Amino acid sequence: MGRVRRRRGYPFAVSERATAAQFVPDSDDLTVLAYAAQGCRGCDLHRGATQVVFGDGPRRADLMLVGEQPGDQEDRAGTPFVGPAGRLLDRALEEAGVDRAGLYVTNAVKHFKFAQPQRGQRRIHKTPSRTEVVACRPWLIAELAAVQPEVLVLMGATAAQSLLGSGFRLTQHRGELLRLPGNDFDGAVVVSPHPSSILRGRPADRDRAFHALVADLRFAADQRGR
Ligand code: URA
Ligand code: SF4
């Protein structure tokens, strides 16, 4: 190993760049991966969170859904999509005729990022930075290699930009059959709105946004077996 050199003007030496890479075991066993993720120090988000929230679902699910990051309730439970966004997702899946038990569900970022609450207030979600999304990507790639879904659904801009690049504009590509650049995954990729964005949107827009999510989930499910 070379000496760590700090260049003037750089807050981090190059060897200290945020990444989960050195924590990800060379394994396609989800249990092994989930266990190792508990020890990840690939970026600073593990410091404030209660625990890592790894993906959940059967290995070899034919559909894999990716959200942004765990929320307050997911952080406490250790399971993705169990809070308000998860309940909305459950309703959308039901309306789309997709059984959640057959899906692998995960997030682009595995630790909860939040604004420090005032006393007695609940923790407010903060959008992960590009650095944190890129740092956490090796876990997502490892899950993709382990599950090998037929169809990958990227819900919201964070998940989409993690795998399709920071310039990707979700709204311009809904309803399209996409592919990932590189060799990480050669199955079908589709994008959808994020369940939380529907909850945060104006009440007048909620119905339309919810039905857009349902339509995208149905479209994704229909790509199986093609
Ligand atoms: N939002 C997400 O993106 N993921 C969760 O697990 C919960 C809320
Ligand atoms: Fe590791 Fe991802 Fe957690 Fe950062 S957010 S510490 S990269 S698991």
Side-chain angles (χ1 to χ4, degrees):
M1 283 262 278
R3 222 154 29 95
V4 176
R5 267 180 294 159
R6 284 175 195 280
R7 274 186 284 168
R8 218 192 294 267
Y10 280 73
F12 297 107
V14 171
S15 60
E16 292 172 10
R17 195 180 293 146
T19 175
Q22 71 260 36
F23 298 95
V24 181
D26 184 14
S27 170
D28 63 2
D29 184 330
L30 288 170
T31 314
V32 170
L33 293 170
Y35 182 76
Q38 294 176 22
C40 186
R41 303 290 179 260
C43 75
D44 282 341
L45 292 186
H46 68 90
R47 294 175 193 270
T50 308
Q51 59 188 319
V52 75
V53 179
F54 208 68
D56 185 46
R59 75 173 272 124
R60 297 293 141 83
D62 49 11
L63 264 183
M64 173 165 157
L65 268 50
V66 186
E68 181 188 75
Q69 63 167 346
D72 178 76
Q73 293 192 30
E74 288 79 13
D75 173 74
R76 296 171 203 271
T79 313
F81 284 102
V82 293
R87 287 193 288 278
L88 187 135
L89 177 62
D90 286 346
R91 278 204 290 123
L93 286 168
E94 197 180 330
E95 195 150 325
V98 180
D99 182 9
R100 176 160 172 180
L103 306 182
Y104 187 80
V105 180
T106 192
N107 285 300
V109 171
K110 307 291 194 258
H111 278 105
F112 178 37
K113 182 175 185 179
F114 55 93
Q116 227 21 271
Q118 305 290 328
R119 248 158 47 103
Q121 278 185 336
R122 65 185 186 88
R123 301 175 298 174
I124 306 289
H125 156 278
K126 271 174 90 174
T127 302
S129 70
R130 180 73 189 157
T131 302
E132 289 150 354
V133 172
V134 170
C136 212
R137 187 166 51 200
W139 289 117
L140 186 54
I141 300 292
E143 288 174 293
L144 204 44
V147 177
Q148 293 183 28
E150 267 188 78
V151 186
L152 176 65
V153 187
L154 304 173
M155 301 188 293
T158 300
Q161 291 180 354
S162 172
L163 296 181
L164 294 166
S166 58
F168 185 82
R169 293 290 163 264
L170 187 111
T171 47
Q172 292 169 15
H173 296 282
R174 284 195 43 241
E176 290 177 17
L177 210 46
L178 305 166
R179 300 277 161 189
L180 292 194
N183 304 319
D184 292 319
F185 178 64
D186 61 6
V189 180
V190 307
V191 295
S192 81
H194 190 287
S196 301
S197 73
I198 298 168
L199 292 173
R200 282 197 292 263
R202 291 189 313 158
D205 296 337
R206 262 181 221 157
D207 250 21
R208 198 158 30 95
F210 179 76
H211 285 106
L213 175 61
V214 172
D216 290 341
L217 291 171
R218 200 175 278 141
F219 175 69
D222 286 347
Q223 304 310 314
R224 295 174 296 184
R226 294 205 162 202

